[in-house]
Amino acid sequence: MSWILSLHAQTDLEAIRAARAMIGSVVRRVGGTVDEAGDIETALGEVLTNAAVHAYPDAIGPVSIAMIFEGGTFVVTVQDRGTTRSTPTVPHHLPDGGKGLFLVSRLVDHVAVHQNAAEGYRGVSVTMIRRLNRG
Amino acid sequence: MAEPIALEAHELPDVIVLRVKGEVDLSTAPTLRNALRSALASRRHVVMSIRELQYMDMAAFHALEAGRNAVTGTQRVVLVASPPHLKRIIQIIQFDKVLPIFESEAEALAFVRDGNTP
């Protein structure tokens, strides 16, 4: 089984809540446990919150969310078109401040952050990979 | 829009038990922070129960930390957490170094009243 589902959303906090609830429900639907759904929902929630706070500090902006499910693994990519000032890095150890990405890195198997400085916008994309341990 | 957070305050002579249900994220975190601050303004201990909380992220933990800064004198604030995925978040961000964590309200009440080690 392999499929793709993508969403175009805005960093409105109610839309963020709906998007993360949706992914939690998708994880459950393909056989993920409550805990796996909770982990992926929280990871997506953190990344979307970062986009709302850092990419669009003074406004609401567009964000796209793409989910790929293949061979029992979720790959979730969040892309904004905002103006985050510097590329966020994933800490290896618990930092004193800005714990969000560290939390994300522990809730999923792999997380990668890229920033697109081309063409005048500096959108950040965050890709998270999490395998479901079913059966 | 329906508020996705619900708070229930159970007032005892020396402790306020705050039970939070629903979802705490960036949009609802101020409600949680303000509830904790008002409870602390009563000068009683506060037991915050997230046993029936469905979702919380860093915004919720920031709210708890900010609320806790309103502690005065010998007041104690503790957290009751049992859902496994919330306990895992607490462990990852080491929130047990910010607030003592208990499995049940009974243990939490015993701690705030007697200072028993968790």
Side-chain angles (χ1 to χ4, degrees):
Chain A
M1 179 170 57
S2 165
W3 46 259
I4 295 175
L5 177 64
S6 66
L7 289 177
H8 292 286
Q10 287 191 306
T11 52
D12 174 89
L13 296 180
E14 201 171 343
I16 287 177
R17 194 181 307 132
R20 64 169 164 70
M22 191 180 295
I23 206 173
S25 144
V26 167
V27 174
R28 293 287 286 143
R29 182 167 286 269
V30 299
T33 64
V34 171
D35 287 348
E36 287 168 333
D39 287 352
I40 296 173
E41 178 175 347
T42 305
L44 179 64
E46 282 299 334
V47 171
L48 290 174
T49 302
N50 278 350
V53 173
H54 299 296
Y56 307 110
D58 306 312
I60 282 173
V63 63
S64 62
I65 304 159
M67 280 174 252
I68 299 172
F69 186 64
E70 184 167 13
T73 297
F74 267 98
V75 180
V76 182
T77 300
V78 175
Q79 168 82 57
D80 68 58
R81 292 180 173 272
T83 53
T84 300
R85 257 178 293 172
S86 61
T87 309
T89 53
V90 183
H92 293 295
H93 303 285
L94 183 69
D96 288 334
K99 298 181 172 67
L101 266 180
F102 177 78
L103 174 61
V104 169
S105 75
R106 295 300 169 103
L107 292 175
V108 299
D109 299 319
H110 181 72
V111 59
V113 183
H114 296 286
Q115 190 166 34
N116 184 357
E119 296 177 23
Y121 70 82
R122 304 177 61 191
V124 168
S125 80
V126 179
T127 300
M128 297 170 279
I129 301 175
R130 170 69 191 259
R131 176 161 184 81
L132 303 187
N133 292 304
R134 291 173 300 164
Chain B
M1 146 190 168
E3 182 77 345
I5 181 176
L7 275 149
E8 183 188 299
H10 185 57
E11 304 206 13
L12 303 171
D14 53 342
V15 185
I16 295 184
V17 180
L18 278 177
R19 298 180 184 127
V20 53
K21 301 176 186 181
E23 306 185 0
V24 185
D25 57 18
L26 194 61
S27 65
T28 53
T31 307
L32 181 68
R33 186 191 61 225
N34 293 338
L36 179 51
R37 282 186 179 157
S38 337
L40 285 168
S42 73
R43 310 228 161 217
R44 284 173 270 187
H45 299 306
V46 177
V47 170
M48 171 76 74
S49 172
I50 57 168
R51 294 187 65 178
E52 293 176 76
L53 195 59
Q54 304 295 314
Y55 176 89
M56 71 192 300
D57 56 28
M58 283 310 303
F61 289 101
H62 289 144
L64 289 176
E65 208 165 346
R68 183 216 53 171
N69 291 338
V71 164
T72 57
T74 56
Q75 271 183 316
R76 290 167 184 263
V77 184
V78 302
L79 202 59
V80 178
S82 54
H85 69 280
L86 298 186
K87 281 167 66 178
R88 189 156 59 254
I89 298 174
I90 287 169
Q91 186 187 14
I92 292 169
I93 64 168
Q94 298 179 13
F95 201 73
D96 55 338
K97 290 182 178 170
V98 179
L99 293 181
I101 317 285
F102 295 90
E103 281 282 325
S104 70
E105 284 182 14
E107 290 169 277
L109 283 170
F111 174 77
V112 296
R113 285 175 168 153
D114 308 328
N116 294 331
T117 328

